[in-house]
Amino acid sequence: MSRKPFSIAIDGPAGAGKSSVARAVAAELNAMYLDTGAMYRAFGLHMLRKGATNDARAIVAALDDVNITVEFVDGAQHIFIGDEDVTEAIREPEVSMAASDVSAVPEVRERMVALQRKIAEGHDVIMDGRDIGTKVLPNATLKIFMTASAEERARRRCLELAQKGRPEPYDKVLQEMKDRDYQDTHRAASPLCAAEDAVTVDTSDMSFDETVAEIKRLALKAIGKC
Ligand code: DC
């Protein structure tokens, strides 16, 4: 590559559409897409299996026993705990809060951030998460803060669960989403917040295609200035 690789950071609360939009824009721009939440989810799943998602000492100790790796199979991200492919298992609803719990531990964040930077190095990349613009890629070519009302995000999550044949009551999904948002925005280590230089995109009244088009437009404008 003769030019410098570009990097696009997409942060925001759960269910705002970050991962599906980031995946689609990455495919259009021929860039790598890295879902950083999957890494916290894998570690959260490991601690859930040990029954210790709120035990900071056990969490820090486990960091050295567990090998979390990311592989790309036909462009799709797969995540492993040791040799076990946990790409599907990390999507179980109970893993969401476990991921949020372990992600509040500073040592976990340090380990994951280092891994994320290493994976992305030398590639055109779109990364989504909670701290990409503020911490992982502070010099990103473009930073987006993607959000939507909690009610709309819960509505979308309910639809997704129903499509998977796993319907959940709306009120329960909404409450869990609010609890996780609260925890992610109030932790001491790299809390979820918009970077000062991020462009906020509120997707509450936008369709998926409109959101992809808007992010692509912002990306091409930013890349053109590189
Ligand atoms: O994006 P997600 O919902 O799959 O992420 C699961 C949890 O992981 C989220 O509630 C907080 C944590 N997380 C984080 O702290 N930093 C990131 N960059 C990505 C996720």
Side-chain angles (χ1 to χ4, degrees), residues 174-212:
L174 178 63
Q175 192 54 52
E176 282 172 359
M177 201 159 255
K178 285 184 174 170
D179 291 346
R180 192 147 65 96
D181 286 350
Y182 184 86
Q183 188 160 293
D184 292 344
T185 47
H186 288 78
R187 67 183 178 217
S190 305
L192 165 65
C193 66
E196 266 179 22
D197 48 351
V199 180
T200 296
V201 176
D202 186 329
T203 68
S204 303
D205 296 317
M206 290 169 84
S207 70
F208 173 75
D209 289 347
E210 283 169 344
T211 311
V212 170

Coordinates of all heavy atoms in Angstrom, one line a residue, residues 174-212:
L174 N -35.2 -3.8 27.3 CA -35.0 -2.4 27.5 C -34.2 -2.2 28.8 O -33.3 -1.4 28.9 CB -36.3 -1.7 27.5 CG -36.3 -0.1 27.7 CD1 -35.4 0.6 26.7 CD2 -37.7 0.5 27.8
Q175 N -34.7 -2.9 29.9 CA -34.1 -2.7 31.2 C -32.6 -3.2 31.1 O -31.7 -2.5 31.6 CB -34.9 -3.4 32.3 CG -34.4 -3.1 33.7 CD -34.5 -1.5 33.9 OE1 -35.5 -0.9 33.6 NE2 -33.4 -1.0 34.4
E176 N -32.4 -4.3 30.5 CA -31.0 -4.9 30.4 C -30.1 -3.9 29.7 O -28.9 -3.7 30.0 CB -31.0 -6.2 29.8 CG -31.5 -7.3 30.7 CD -31.7 -8.7 30.0 OE1 -31.4 -8.8 28.8 OE2 -32.1 -9.6 30.7
M177 N -30.6 -3.3 28.6 CA -29.9 -2.4 27.8 C -29.5 -1.2 28.6 O -28.4 -0.7 28.6 CB -30.7 -2.0 26.6 CG -29.9 -1.5 25.4 SD -30.9 -1.7 24.0 CE -30.1 -3.1 23.2
K178 N -30.5 -0.7 29.4 CA -30.2 0.5 30.2 C -29.2 0.2 31.3 O -28.3 1.1 31.5 CB -31.5 1.0 30.8 CG -32.5 1.7 29.8 CD -33.7 2.3 30.5 CE -34.5 3.1 29.6 NZ -35.8 3.5 30.2
D179 N -29.3 -1.0 31.9 CA -28.3 -1.3 32.9 C -26.9 -1.4 32.4 O -26.0 -0.9 33.0 CB -28.7 -2.7 33.5 CG -30.0 -2.7 34.4 OD1 -30.5 -1.5 34.7 OD2 -30.5 -3.7 34.7
R180 N -26.8 -2.0 31.2 CA -25.5 -2.2 30.6 C -24.9 -0.8 30.2 O -23.7 -0.5 30.4 CB -25.6 -3.1 29.4 CG -24.2 -3.6 28.9 CD -24.2 -5.0 28.4 NE -25.1 -5.2 27.2 CZ -24.6 -5.2 26.0 NH1 -23.3 -5.0 25.8 NH2 -25.4 -5.4 25.0
D181 N -25.8 0.1 29.6 CA -25.3 1.4 29.2 C -24.8 2.1 30.4 O -23.8 2.8 30.4 CB -26.5 2.2 28.7 CG -26.9 1.8 27.3 OD1 -26.2 1.0 26.6 OD2 -28.0 2.3 26.8
Y182 N -25.6 2.0 31.5 CA -25.2 2.7 32.8 C -23.8 2.3 33.2 O -22.9 3.1 33.5 CB -26.2 2.5 33.9 CG -25.9 3.3 35.1 CD1 -26.3 4.6 35.2 CD2 -25.1 2.8 36.1 CE1 -26.0 5.4 36.3 CE2 -24.7 3.5 37.2 CZ -25.2 4.8 37.3 OH -24.8 5.6 38.4
Q183 N -23.6 0.9 33.2 CA -22.4 0.4 33.7 C -21.2 0.8 32.7 O -20.1 1.1 33.2 CB -22.5 -1.2 33.7 CG -21.3 -1.9 34.3 CD -21.7 -3.3 34.8 OE1 -22.5 -3.5 35.7 NE2 -21.2 -4.3 34.1
D184 N -21.4 0.7 31.4 CA -20.4 1.1 30.5 C -20.0 2.5 30.5 O -18.9 2.9 30.2 CB -20.8 0.7 29.0 CG -20.9 -0.8 28.8 OD1 -20.4 -1.6 29.7 OD2 -21.5 -1.3 27.8
T185 N -21.0 3.4 30.8 CA -20.7 4.9 30.8 C -20.2 5.3 32.2 O -19.6 6.4 32.3 CB -21.9 5.7 30.5 OG1 -23.0 5.3 31.2 CG2 -22.3 5.6 29.0
H186 N -20.4 4.5 33.2 CA -20.0 5.0 34.6 C -18.7 4.3 35.1 O -18.3 4.6 36.2 CB -21.1 4.8 35.6 CG -22.2 5.8 35.3 ND1 -23.1 5.7 34.3 CD2 -22.4 7.0 35.9 CE1 -23.9 6.8 34.3 NE2 -23.5 7.6 35.2
R187 N -18.1 3.4 34.4 CA -16.9 2.7 34.9 C -15.7 3.8 34.9 O -15.8 4.7 34.1 CB -16.5 1.5 34.1 CG -16.1 1.8 32.7 CD -15.9 0.6 31.8 NE -15.5 1.0 30.5 CZ -15.9 0.4 29.4 NH1 -16.6 -0.7 29.5 NH2 -15.5 0.8 28.2
A188 N -14.7 3.5 35.8 CA -13.6 4.5 35.8 C -12.7 4.3 34.6 O -12.2 5.3 34.1 CB -12.8 4.2 37.1
A189 N -12.5 3.1 34.1 CA -11.5 2.9 33.1 C -12.1 3.0 31.7 O -13.0 2.2 31.3 CB -10.9 1.5 33.2
S190 N -11.7 4.0 30.9 CA -12.2 4.2 29.6 C -13.7 4.1 29.5 O -14.2 3.2 28.7 CB -11.5 3.3 28.6 OG -10.2 3.4 28.6
P191 N -14.5 4.9 30.2 CA -15.9 4.8 30.0 C -16.4 5.1 28.6 O -15.7 5.9 27.9 CB -16.5 5.8 31.1 CG -15.4 6.8 31.2 CD -14.1 6.0 31.0
L192 N -17.6 4.6 28.3 CA -18.1 4.9 27.0 C -18.4 6.4 26.9 O -19.2 6.9 27.8 CB -19.4 4.1 26.8 CG -20.3 4.6 25.6 CD1 -19.6 4.4 24.3 CD2 -21.7 3.9 25.6
C193 N -17.8 7.1 26.0 CA -18.2 8.5 25.8 C -17.7 8.9 24.3 O -16.9 8.2 23.8 CB -17.6 9.5 26.8 SG -15.8 9.6 26.7
A194 N -18.3 10.0 23.8 CA -17.9 10.4 22.5 C -16.5 11.1 22.6 O -16.3 11.9 23.5 CB -18.9 11.3 21.9
A195 N -15.6 10.8 21.6 CA -14.3 11.5 21.6 C -14.7 13.0 21.2 O -15.7 13.2 20.5 CB -13.4 10.9 20.5
E196 N -13.8 13.9 21.6 CA -14.1 15.3 21.4 C -14.3 15.6 19.9 O -15.0 16.5 19.5 CB -12.9 16.2 21.9 CG -13.2 16.7 23.3 CD -12.0 17.5 23.8 OE1 -11.2 18.0 22.9 OE2 -11.9 17.6 25.0
D197 N -13.5 14.8 19.1 CA -13.5 15.1 17.6 C -14.4 14.1 16.9 O -14.2 13.9 15.7 CB -12.1 15.1 17.1 CG -11.2 13.9 17.5 OD1 -11.7 13.2 18.4 OD2 -10.1 13.7 17.0
A198 N -15.3 13.4 17.6 CA -16.2 12.5 16.9 C -17.4 13.1 16.3 O -17.9 14.2 16.8 CB -16.7 11.4 17.9
V199 N -17.9 12.6 15.2 CA -19.1 13.0 14.5 C -20.2 12.1 15.1 O -20.1 10.9 15.1 CB -19.1 12.8 13.0 CG1 -20.4 13.3 12.4 CG2 -17.9 13.5 12.4
T200 N -21.3 12.8 15.7 CA -22.4 12.0 16.3 C -23.4 11.7 15.2 O -23.8 12.5 14.4 CB -23.0 12.7 17.4 OG1 -22.1 12.8 18.5 CG2 -24.2 12.0 18.0
V201 N -23.7 10.4 15.1 CA -24.8 10.0 14.1 C -25.9 9.3 14.9 O -25.6 8.2 15.6 CB -24.2 9.0 13.1 CG1 -25.3 8.5 12.1 CG2 -23.1 9.7 12.3
D202 N -27.0 9.9 15.0 CA -28.2 9.3 15.7 C -29.0 8.5 14.7 O -29.6 9.1 13.8 CB -29.0 10.5 16.4 CG -30.1 9.9 17.3 OD1 -30.6 8.8 17.0 OD2 -30.4 10.6 18.3
T203 N -29.0 7.2 14.9 CA -29.7 6.3 13.9 C -31.2 6.1 14.3 O -31.8 5.2 13.6 CB -28.9 5.0 13.8 OG1 -29.1 4.3 15.0 CG2 -27.5 5.2 13.5
S204 N -31.7 6.8 15.3 CA -33.1 6.5 15.8 C -34.1 6.5 14.6 O -35.0 5.6 14.6 CB -33.6 7.5 16.8 OG -32.7 7.5 17.9
D205 N -34.0 7.5 13.7 CA -34.9 7.6 12.6 C -34.3 7.3 11.3 O -34.7 7.7 10.2 CB -35.5 9.0 12.6 CG -36.3 9.3 13.9 OD1 -37.1 8.3 14.3 OD2 -36.1 10.3 14.5
M206 N -33.2 6.5 11.3 CA -32.5 6.2 10.0 C -32.6 4.7 9.8 O -32.6 3.9 10.7 CB -31.0 6.5 10.1 CG -30.7 8.0 10.2 SD -29.0 8.3 10.6 CE -28.2 8.2 9.0
S207 N -32.8 4.3 8.5 CA -32.8 2.9 8.1 C -31.4 2.4 8.1 O -30.4 3.2 8.1 CB -33.5 2.7 6.8 OG -32.6 3.2 5.8
F208 N -31.2 1.1 8.0 CA -29.9 0.5 7.9 C -29.2 1.1 6.7 O -28.0 1.5 6.8 CB -30.0 -1.0 7.9 CG -28.7 -1.7 7.6 CD1 -27.7 -1.8 8.6 CD2 -28.4 -2.2 6.3 CE1 -26.5 -2.4 8.3 CE2 -27.2 -2.9 6.0 CZ -26.3 -3.0 7.0
D209 N -29.8 1.1 5.5 CA -29.2 1.5 4.3 C -28.8 3.0 4.4 O -27.7 3.4 3.9 CB -30.1 1.3 3.1 CG -30.2 -0.1 2.8 OD1 -29.4 -1.0 3.3 OD2 -31.2 -0.5 2.0
E210 N -29.7 3.8 5.0 CA -29.3 5.2 5.2 C -28.1 5.4 6.0 O -27.3 6.3 5.8 CB -30.5 6.0 5.8 CG -31.7 6.3 4.9 CD -32.9 6.7 5.6 OE1 -33.1 6.6 6.8 OE2 -33.8 7.3 4.9
T211 N -28.0 4.6 7.1 CA -26.9 4.8 8.0 C -25.6 4.3 7.3 O -24.6 5.0 7.4 CB -27.1 3.9 9.3 OG1 -28.4 4.1 9.8 CG2 -26.1 4.2 10.3
V212 N -25.7 3.2 6.6 CA -24.5 2.8 5.8 C -24.0 3.9 4.9 O -22.8 4.2 4.8 CB -24.7 1.5 5.1 CG1 -23.6 1.1 4.1 CG2 -25.0 0.3 6.1

